Amino acid sequence: MAKLPKKDELMNYKYEVPPSDWMDTAVDIRPGTYCYGAKGKNLEAVNFPNARDWSPVDEDWHLPDNWQEIFLNGMAERLDKYRSFRLFMDVCVRCGACADKCHFYMGSGDPKNMPVLRGELLRSVYRRYFTTSGKLLGRIAGARDLTEDVLKELWFYFYQCTECRRCSVFCPYGIDQAEITIMGRELFNLLGLNTDWISGPVANCYMKGNHVGLEPQTILSNIEFMMDDLEDITGKRIEPRFNKKGAEILFVAPSGDLFADPGIYTCMGYLMLFEQLGLDYTMSTYASEGGNFGFFTSNEMAKRLNAKIYAEAKRLGVKWILGGECGHMWRVVNQYMDTWNGPADFLEVPVSPITGTKFENARSTKMVHIAEFTADLIYHNKLKLDPSRNDHLRITFHDSCNTSRGMGIMEEPRYIIKNVCNNFFEMPEETIREKTLCCGSGSGLNAGENMEVRLRGGFPRANAVKYVQDKHGVNVLANICAIDRAAMPSLMDYWVPGVQVMGVHELVGNALIMDGEKERTLNLRGEPLPGKGGEDDV
Amino acid sequence: MKIWSSLLAVIALVFIAWVGAGVLHLSTFFGIVLPYLALIIFLAGFLLRVIKWGKSPVPFCIPTTCGQQESLPWIKPNKIENPTTTWGVIWRMILEITLFRSLFRNTATEKHDGNLAIGSAKWLWFGSLLFHWSMLVIIIRHLRFFTEPVPVLIQGLEFMDSFLQIGIPLLYMTDVFIVLALSYLFLRRVAIPKVKYISQAADYFPLLLLLGVAISGILMRYFFRVDVVGVKELAMGLVTFRPVFSAEIGPIFYIHLTLVSCLFAYFPWSKLMHAGGIFMSPTRNLANNSRMVRHVNPWNYAVKTHTYDEYEEEFRDKMKKVGLPLEGEG
C-alpha cells in the first residue's frame, strides 16, 4: 500500500482548471491514483482475450497490434446493443450540471473527474469515428484520434469512476456516466486491461463461488468462529445450514460478510435473526457471493457470475431467495438478474413464513432484500428488541449508491435502525437518499494501492459524517453495503476518527432478544455493553 | 478559438444572407429554396436520428431511482421519482420535459478550507427554462404567418405575451426573455472557468445562432420595419406549396430567415437533438419494476458458467471432510 498522504496535501486543491485545453493536458498516472494491472492468469481463468501481466505505469502496455480496431469494433457493437450508450454519446449538451456532483471531482478538483468531461474523453473518440462532423472537422467538432495516450487517459479516469450514478440524478437527460464507464471497461477488457483488484475477485468468484476466494471448508470454519463468539455473547449455539436441499429459503450474502471485520458482525446479525425466527433456510458454499465484480468487468462476465444464484436455488429446491446487505449486488438483483438468468419460474413468489407478507414487489425475481424482510418483521411486532443496548451508539445512515439510485431502498433500513437504536441522526439533505455521496471505493476501486484516490473520493461523504459528528456526536456510520463496510473504516479513521462502521443487521443483532439467551454484557464485537453490567460501567 | 470560430460562422451566415438577398437579389433562393431545403433536412434528419437511437435496444431496465421504491404496503413509495407504473413514468417525463425536474435539483459545491458546502443553485435551471419556454411561445406566435384566419389560441397567446402594452408595435415579453436567457447561457460558458473548460464550438455556435435569430427578428419587428403583408404572403405560399413574392421585403427578413433555416438544417446533427433524446433516455423513461415484471433483453445469449457439478468435482474431498452434503458421492 502506498504511504498515506497528509491531510493538508490532499486538501491542497481548488476547483480550478489548467491553462491548457483538456485535450492537450496529459494524464499523470502516479502511485496512489491507480489500481495495479490484472494478472494474466486471472483473465485466463475466465477465458478473457489478450491476457497478460501488465502495469499501468509501464510505458508499453503490450497492446495487441490491432488494438484500435478491436476497440472501435467493440464500440460499434455496443452502440448497436445499448440505446443508453448511443444516446449518451449523442445528447450531452455540456451544461455542467453534473460537474460538481461527482465525489471524485469534489475531492480532487481534477476537471477530468467532472462526469461531463469523463464522458467527453470517450465521446471525443466516438465523434471522430462514428459521426460525420467529427470525421470531417476533427478537433473543432470536439473529435480526436484514438491514440495510445488517449487510451491511457480513458483507462485512468474510467477506473476513477465508481459507477455511483449521482451525476445521472442531476442530468436533465438522465445521462448516466455509470453506463458510459461500464461500456468503457468492457472495451478495456477486450484489450486485457483490467485491474488486479477486479480480475482477481472475478476469477475467484467464478471458480470458488465468492470474491474473496473462500473454499467451502473455509467458509464453514469462518462461520464456526463467528458462532463460537456468538455463543460467548448470547449463551446460545447457532448451527447455520449450508447446501441443504429442500430448505424454504436460500440466503445469499456478500462474501465480505463471511470474511472480515466488520462485515462478520453483520453476518452474525443475520444468523441470530434466522435462529430466533426458526427460519427454514440454507446458505450455499457454491453461490456464496451476492456481490458481482463481473459487473465492473463486462455484462457477460456479470451474467456468468450471477447465474450461480438461480442455478443453486433450483438445485436445492428452495422456494425463494433472501439477499444480504450489499450495494451493487442489489443493483444487479433489481435491474439485471431476472433479465440475464431468469425467468425464475421454478421459484415461488416470496412469502415471509413469519408474518405471511407476500413480497409482491419481488414477484418475478423471487428475491427479497433482508432490510425489506426485517422491516416487515418489526412492523408486525415479531421481534423482541432492546434498543437500549445500542444507547451508547449515535448513529447516522449512509445510503449506498446502488441501493438508492438503482433500486430505491431508503425507508426500510431507516425504519429498522429507528427500532433497534434510540439515537439516529440524518446527514444533510443534499448528501443522503438519492443524493447520497459515494464511499469512493465502489465498482472495484477498494484496493490498497489507490488509497489517495479513495481518500479523495470518499472525502465528501466523510465530510458530511463529520458534520453530524460535530453537531450530534455521531459515532456510528450504519450502512447496508459490504463495500462500505470494507472501505469506510479506513476512510473514517483518516477523515473522521472516532466513527465506527456497522451494517444495519449488526445493530439488529445487538438489540435482538433471543429466546433463552443469557443476559447480554457484550456487543457482537465482544466489547462490553455500557450500562449492561459490562466492565466499562462507571 | 472555439468561441471566435462560432461567432465568425454566425457572422458569415448573416453576411451571406445580406449579400445574397439584399445585394444580389437572390430572393428565390433565400426565400424559397433554402427554407424548403432546411425543413426537409430537419425533418428527415430528426427522424433518422430517432430511428437510429430506436434501433439500439434497451437490454436492461436501468431507471435512475430518485425516491423510495415500492416495497412493503405501509412504506410510502415515491410514485413519480421512482415509478413502477406507466402513469408514474409519464408523470416523471412530463416533469422532466416541461419543468426540467432534474436540473431543478442542481446544487453548487464550494470548498472552504477543510470543508465542503453544498448550496442551492437554481440559475441554470431558471435560465434554461426561460429560454425553452420563450422559444416555444415564439414558435407558436410565428404560426400567425402560416395560418389564415389566425386561430384564436395564437391571438390569445400574442395578447398575453404583449399585455404590458409597451411601445408600438407592442413589445413581446418573450423577445426580451429569450435574449436575456440566451445571453446568460452564453455568458456562463465564457465566464465560469470550469464551464468554459468543457465547452466546445458545438456549444457556442448554436447559442450564437439562436441569438442571431432572436436579434434579427427583434430588429425586424421593432426597428427596420419590413412589409409584413409581403412576409405573410410568402409564408402562406410556402405552406401551401405555391410560393410567391408579392412585394419587396427588406434584407433583414432574409437574414432572419437564413439564420432560422441554418438552425433547422443544423439541428438534427447537433447536440440540439437532446430535444428528441430526452424522450428516449432509459434512465428516465423506464419503470423501476424489474423485480415485479421480467425485463427482456432481445439479444440475451447463453454464457459459459462454472456449474455446481464442476465446483463439487474440484472440492469434493474438502466438502466431504466438513460434512457438506454432496450430489455425487463418487
Side-chain angles (χ1 to χ4, degrees):
Chain A
M1 190 192 291
K3 200 169 160 283
L4 282 186
K6 289 202 178 76
K7 266 189 208 173
D8 48 345
E9 282 170 25
L10 278 194
M11 291 309 295
N12 184 25
Y13 68 90
K14 287 185 178 147
Y15 296 128
E16 284 173 356
V17 295
S20 56
D21 188 89
W22 65 262
M23 280 196 198
D24 304 320
T25 309
V27 59
D28 177 21
I29 304 182
R30 60 191 161 76
T33 64
Y34 66 90
C35 293
Y36 297 147
K39 293 189 181 73
K41 68 175 169 69
N42 285 330
L43 297 182
E44 274 160 13
V46 288
N47 325 102
F48 269 35
N50 297 306
R52 65 191 180 280
D53 289 359
W54 75 288
S55 169
V57 279
D58 285 350
E59 184 62 28
D60 183 358
W61 280 13
H62 302 288
L63 298 167
D65 288 338
N66 61 338
W67 70 269
Q68 282 154 312
E69 191 189 331
I70 295 173
F71 190 97
L72 293 171
N73 287 345
M75 215 169 152
E77 185 192 332
R78 281 156 187 81
L79 288 165
D80 285 341
K81 282 166 99 175
Y82 293 85
R83 184 175 303 164
S84 52
F85 188 34
R86 188 178 283 283
L87 200 68
F88 297 164
M89 288 292 103
D90 279 331
V91 299
C92 177
V93 302
R94 292 168 292 275
C95 72
C98 59
D100 58 358
K101 309 304 178 286
C102 173
H103 48 286
F104 284 118
Y105 176 71
M106 293 163 90
S108 73
D110 181 344
K112 284 179 186 164
N113 275 328
M114 298 192 277
V116 48
L117 207 43
R118 201 193 313 276
E120 286 291 299
L121 299 178
L122 189 58
R123 271 193 286 267
S124 56
V125 174
Y126 166 77
R127 286 188 205 109
R128 169 66 185 79
Y129 298 95
F130 297 94
T131 70
T132 315
S133 59
K135 281 177 199 168
L136 293 177
L137 300 173
R139 182 153 171 167
I140 193 73
R144 61 176 179 169
D145 290 336
L146 178 62
T147 62
E148 256 184 68
D149 286 340
V150 167
L151 180 75
K152 288 180 178 180
E153 183 183 57
L154 276 167
W155 184 89
F156 182 69
Y157 285 104
F158 278 37
Y159 284 98
Q160 268 182 43
C161 164
T162 44
E163 304 178 3
C164 82
R165 312 186 97 197
R166 192 166 192 264
C167 48
S168 159
V169 168
F170 293 89
C171 174
Y173 320 115
I175 297 173
D176 183 5
Q177 177 61 39
E179 284 292 301
I180 302 172
T181 298
I182 288 168
M183 292 297 113
R185 290 192 184 182
E186 288 216 2
L187 298 173
F188 302 140
N189 269 287
L190 298 177
L191 303 173
L193 300 175
N194 206 328
T195 70
D196 185 40
W197 193 260
I198 294 172
S199 59
V202 164
N204 274 337
C205 192
Y206 190 70
M207 298 305 293
K208 297 181 179 170
N210 55 75
H211 293 148
V212 287
L214 302 173
E215 296 189 354
Q217 74 284 0
T218 320
I219 295 179
L220 263 61
S221 63
N222 282 7
I223 292 279
E224 188 91 13
F225 280 125
M226 288 185 223
M227 297 309 108
D228 290 346
D229 286 350
L230 270 186
E231 191 169 7
D232 292 343
I233 295 163
T234 66
K236 291 194 62 157
R237 184 74 200 174
I238 299 174
E239 301 287 348
R241 291 173 286 278
F242 281 90
N243 302 7
K244 182 189 157 206
K245 285 194 174 179
E248 184 181 357
I249 298 165
L250 170 65
F251 177 64
V252 181
S255 64
D257 289 352
L258 309 174
F259 177 62
D261 178 340
I264 52 171
Y265 308 121
T266 309
C267 186
M268 289 180 186
Y270 306 142
L271 297 176
M272 290 164 76
L273 180 72
F274 300 160
E275 175 73 13
Q276 171 63 18
L277 298 171
L279 210 63
D280 180 17
Y281 73 99
T282 181
M283 291 191 278
S284 164
T285 57
Y286 166 68
S288 46
E289 181 61 76
N292 194 326
F293 271 43
F295 191 60
F296 312 139
T297 303
S298 70
N299 161 61
E300 182 177 302
M301 194 64 236
K303 179 178 169 176
R304 289 168 74 187
L305 298 183
N306 176 265
K308 291 181 184 183
I309 298 178
Y310 276 152
E312 187 69 340
K314 194 170 190 175
R315 184 183 77 86
L316 296 175
V318 301
K319 288 184 180 161
W320 56 279
I321 308 166
L322 183 63
E325 296 180 10
C326 178
H328 73 279
M329 160 181 173
W330 276 96
R331 166 108 198 264
V332 164
V333 170
N334 185 41
Q335 302 195 324
Y336 292 84
M337 180 160 89
D338 202 3
T339 301
W340 282 329
N341 295 311
D345 42 19
F346 49 90
L347 297 173
E348 293 174 15
V349 177
V351 175
S352 169
I354 315 299
T355 65
T357 299
K358 197 171 192 177
F359 292 93
E360 286 287 352
N361 64 325
R363 61 179 176 265
S364 183
T365 46
K366 321 287 199 299
M367 186 151 176
V368 174
H369 193 292
I370 191 155
E372 296 167 341
F373 180 75
T374 304
D376 175 64
L377 292 169
I378 295 173
Y379 182 78
H380 287 101
N381 286 317
K382 299 293 181 189
L383 299 180
K384 277 179 278 179
L385 299 165
D386 177 5
S388 73
R389 289 180 192 158
N390 288 322
D391 269 357
H392 57 297
L393 307 178
R394 301 176 72 78
I395 294 145
T396 193
F397 179 68
H398 161 69
D399 292 273
S400 303
C401 307
N402 284 290
T403 50
S404 56
R405 292 183 280 261
M407 182 178 187
I409 183 164
M410 300 172 184
E411 291 306 329
E412 296 86 341
R414 286 178 168 79
Y415 180 79
I416 298 171
I417 292 172
K418 286 173 189 168
N419 277 282
V420 299
C421 308
N422 289 319
N423 308 305
F424 175 67
F425 307 93
E426 290 279 17
M427 284 180 276
E429 184 64 22
E430 301 299 337
T431 72
I432 55 170
R433 299 178 191 268
E434 73 274 8
K435 296 184 203 129
T436 189
L437 286 157
C438 184
C439 63
S441 304
S443 82
L445 300 191
N446 54 325
E449 64 268 19
N450 62 334
M451 192 49 95
E452 180 188 329
V453 159
R454 288 179 49 195
L455 290 172
R456 287 185 182 283
F459 170 66
R461 168 41 80 217
N463 200 234
V465 176
K466 184 166 181 297
Y467 178 83
V468 281
Q469 186 191 41
D470 292 346
K471 195 171 173 189
H472 302 293
V474 160
N475 56 15
V476 170
L477 182 65
N479 60 73
I480 48 169
C481 174
I483 288 181
D484 283 331
R485 290 190 284 276
M488 287 282 205
S490 43
L491 200 68
M492 290 297 120
D493 287 348
Y494 187 87
W495 292 114
V496 210
V499 174
Q500 286 186 300
V501 179
M502 293 183 185
V504 167
H505 277 78
E506 178 181 349
L507 298 166
V508 172
N510 276 325
L512 184 72
I513 299 171
M514 299 177 75
D515 296 337
E517 70 177 8
K518 69 177 190 189
E519 192 192 345
R520 296 261 198 111
T521 55
L522 302 171
N523 65 17
L524 298 191
R525 301 189 177 201
E527 301 156 350
L529 278 173
K532 303 287 173 188
E535 296 151 22
D536 267 10
D537 273 6
V538 183
Chain B
M1 171 64 190
K2 292 167 184 168
I3 304 171
W4 290 111
S5 59
S6 304
L7 185 62
L8 213 66
V10 175
I11 290 172
L13 292 174
V14 171
F15 186 74
I16 290 168
W18 178 65
V19 170
V23 179
L24 303 174
H25 299 288
L26 300 170
S27 46
T28 312
F29 178 77
F30 286 95
I32 299 170
V33 178
L34 192 62
Y36 273 140
L37 204 64
L39 192 68
I40 291 167
I41 293 175
F42 173 76
L43 293 175
F46 200 104
L47 206 67
L48 267 172
R49 292 298 297 274
V50 170
I51 290 172
K52 193 152 193 188
W53 288 331
K55 273 167 82 179
S56 298
V58 181
F60 304 108
C61 181
I62 52 162
T64 306
T65 59
C66 297
Q68 171 62 35
Q69 65 167 356
E70 183 183 325
S71 60
L72 298 162
W74 48 273
I75 295 177
K76 190 169 173 283
N78 189 330
K79 291 183 179 177
I80 295 175
E81 309 271 27
N82 190 345
T84 48
T85 63
T86 307
W87 276 112
V89 171
I90 289 171
W91 272 111
R92 190 179 201 194
M93 293 304 289
I94 288 174
L95 289 179
E96 284 295 354
I97 288 158
T98 63
L99 295 174
F100 303 175
R101 170 68 186 98
S102 291
L103 201 52
F104 187 70
R105 290 193 186 95
N106 197 20
T107 56
T109 307
E110 283 171 24
K111 180 168 168 274
H112 305 288
D113 303 318
N115 287 306
L116 297 181
I118 301 178
S120 166
K122 301 280 183 253
W123 282 106
L124 178 60
W125 170 81
F126 182 72
S128 312
L129 203 66
L130 191 65
F131 160 67
H132 283 87
W133 275 103
S134 299
M135 183 85 191
L136 180 66
V137 171
I138 289 170
I139 289 171
I140 295 173
R141 272 206 281 103
H142 274 67
L143 293 179
R144 71 145 34 258
F145 292 103
F146 301 97
T147 47
E148 189 58 51
V150 178
V152 181
L153 227 69
I154 296 175
Q155 292 183 18
L157 192 69
E158 283 180 341
F159 176 76
M160 306 247 294
D161 199 2
S162 60
F163 91 106
L164 290 179
Q165 306 270 319
I166 299 171
I168 292 179
L170 291 178
L171 176 75
Y172 289 129
M173 287 179 294
T174 46
D175 285 356
V176 179
F177 293 159
I178 200 167
V179 172
L180 287 177
L182 283 168
S183 305
Y184 163 74
L185 292 174
F186 178 77
L187 287 174
R188 73 182 281 277
R189 283 207 185 270
V190 181
I192 304 172
K194 74 169 186 247
V195 184
K196 187 174 181 190
Y197 200 64
I198 59 176
S199 292
Q200 296 286 354
D203 300 312
Y204 298 115
F205 176 69
L207 282 173
L208 292 170
L209 186 60
L210 279 161
L211 263 175
V213 169
I215 290 169
S216 60
I218 288 168
L219 286 176
M220 179 165 46
R221 178 173 164 84
Y222 303 101
F223 300 99
F224 309 117
R225 309 291 301 276
V226 294
D227 183 346
V228 182
V229 179
V231 172
K232 172 116 189 187
E233 275 173 9
L234 175 62
M236 287 305 294
L238 284 169
V239 287
T240 53
F241 299 105
R242 280 188 299 272
V244 282
F245 292 99
S246 65
E248 185 75 9
I249 313 171
I252 184 74
F253 168 74
Y254 289 100
I255 292 174
H256 184 64
L257 187 61
T258 300
L259 292 180
V260 171
S261 300
C262 291
L263 181 66
F264 270 66
Y266 174 73
F267 197 104
W269 324 107
S270 71
K271 71 166 195 175
L272 302 178
M273 276 306 289
H274 66 264
I278 185 169
F279 291 91
M280 304 183 80
S281 182
T283 60
R284 291 291 184 272
N285 71 7
L286 288 170
N288 178 33
N289 63 356
S290 39
R291 271 202 292 160
M292 304 171 194
V293 186
R294 181 167 182 252
H295 180 92
V296 176
N297 172 3
W299 50 261
N300 197 24
Y301 55 91
V303 294
K304 184 173 160 20
T305 61
H306 190 67
T307 64
Y308 175 81
D309 289 339
E310 290 170 295
Y311 170 85
E312 188 180 296
E313 187 63 35
E314 184 178 346
F315 294 110
R316 181 166 295 130
D317 293 343
K318 291 169 173 171
M319 291 171 79
K320 204 168 182 175
K321 207 177 263 178
V322 292
L324 282 167
L326 297 170
E327 290 279 342
E329 286 300 329

